[in-house]
Amino acid sequence: MSIHLSRGGALRRVVLSCDVAGCPIQLEPPATEAWRNDADARTWAREHAVGWTSDPIRQTDYCPGHAQFSTAPAAGVAPPRPTASVRDRSGNPLHRDEYADHLRGLLVDADRSGGRPLTLSAAQAAVAARLLDELAGVYRGEGLGALAQELSALLDGRD
């Protein structure tokens, strides 16, 4: 949510923006009051935005199409963790744990097929290992991070 000042600075407008990355939906509830402070304006806007939800802890707002992001997952249920760039055929991001399992399967299949191994120079292997270490740090505690760490160790000869 944002609060905009109009020209002259006397009139403020409240604009709700959906906080899901890439969502263009915004809503500007009608201004019917002179706000005492920004907290009053935010509260009023959230109360009058039909179908919108908010997460007060993260200070985020969600349009009706993304309302599910403001609710905490049930106990014992891990929230979805989408990949940053890998997509399925429909254009939806894959779940990172499922993607890690898929990649592990590719490694197992490649080992079984006995194909010709690719040779990297020492510098190329070192750079690839450092990139994998960075990926492992970003996804620490997840299957994708563990896979990156294992491959980094393999490239460095630390296995």
Side-chain angles (χ1 to χ4, degrees), residues 72-88:
V77 175
R81 296 181 301 213
T83 55
S85 61
V86 181
R87 303 285 189 256
D88 63 15

Side-chain angles (χ1 to χ4, degrees), residues 1 17 19 42 46 54-62:
M1 176 184 307
S17 299
D19 288 315
R42 287 184 178 99
R46 286 184 175 127
S54 64
D55 181 340
I57 294 170
R58 293 184 293 180
Q59 294 293 309
T60 53
D61 298 287
Y62 302 97

Side-chain angles (χ1 to χ4, degrees), residues 54-146:
S54 64
D55 181 340
I57 294 170
R58 293 184 293 180
Q59 294 293 309
T60 53
D61 298 287
Y62 302 97
C63 69
H66 294 113
Q68 75 271 16
F69 291 106
S70 66
T71 57
V77 175
R81 296 181 301 213
T83 55
S85 61
V86 181
R87 303 285 189 256
D88 63 15
R89 289 189 173 119
S90 301
N92 299 313
L94 299 177
H95 188 281
R96 290 196 300 256
D97 292 336
E98 292 171 1
Y99 185 54
D101 291 342
H102 171 72
L103 293 175
R104 283 186 187 280
L106 290 176
L107 289 173
V108 169
D109 291 346
D111 287 344
R112 286 186 194 146
S113 69
R116 196 187 101 196
L118 176 65
T119 304
L120 298 174
S121 70
Q124 290 169 331
V127 169
R130 297 303 67 80
L131 290 170
L132 287 165
D133 286 339
E134 180 65 19
L135 183 67
V138 170
Y139 296 117
R140 186 178 315 276
E142 295 184 28
L144 201 55

